Amino acid sequence: SQQGEEDPQALSIQEGENATMNCSYKTSINNLQWYRQNSGRGLVHLILIRSNEREKHSGRLRVTLDTSKKSSSLLITASRAADTASYFCATDANAGNMLTFGGGTRLMVKP
Amino acid sequence: DTAVSQTPKYLVTQMGNDKSIKCEQNLGHDTMYWYKQDSKKFLKIMFSYNNKELIINETVPNRFSPKSPDKAHLNLHINSLELGDSAVYFCASSQQGAVTGELFFGEGSRLTVL
């Protein structure tokens, strides 16, 4: 099974609204990362949060991490049509420090 | 300047053939990876490789083999292609420290096996 699992699988909102995506994982981690993938493109790193951090901001992005619940959330504020993409969380829990990705949340922002 | 580049971008081939996908990174990273993304967008790690160690995901069939001529290149060779190998394959790289940092991905190579 996937180490990280995103929820919801798909999300459709209007421009200007906030979008919240959640990620749950199973084992202890060193860090958790969020990536974005536009249709037909490669993944692009958005933000990394370490296991000893609880919250991190980057522009319109806010990431939280709750290690006791083994969960993280990604909040995109004041969404734009250009934010339409798939968003993945990734953790480094596996041997060899390989990043393991969840199934992603497909976000659609309607203009 | 493309950081991680893969070729070809599209590959259509028949079952049973052998094919390779090439990957190059100009970031000076010491670790490279191959991921497989299926039609449902699930990303699965296949290999992690630096100049010291190859780590293979045990679920990857031995028809898949990474080949690294040097630190900047990690090619993926696939023998006896099967229908289920159809997917998008992504190469990535990172600077490996004590923990895994940010990955830089290529644009993907879409493989279609007929």
Side-chain angles (χ1 to χ4, degrees), chain A residues 53-111:
Chain A
E53 296 176 311
R54 292 296 168 259
E55 187 171 312
K56 204 163 183 179
H57 296 253
S58 176
R60 292 184 296 112
L61 305 181
R62 185 183 80 140
V63 169
T64 63
L65 179 64
D66 187 336
T67 53
S68 67
K69 296 181 179 178
K70 292 187 170 57
S71 68
S72 173
S73 68
L74 171 67
L75 168 67
I76 304 175
T77 61
S79 64
R80 305 166 183 169
D83 294 330
T84 295
S86 291
Y87 293 83
F88 295 85
C89 69
T91 58
D92 66 343
N94 290 337
N97 287 331
M98 292 186 288
L99 276 188
T100 303
F101 286 79
T105 292
R106 292 151 191 69
L107 173 66
M108 174 173 287
V109 181
K110 300 176 184 176

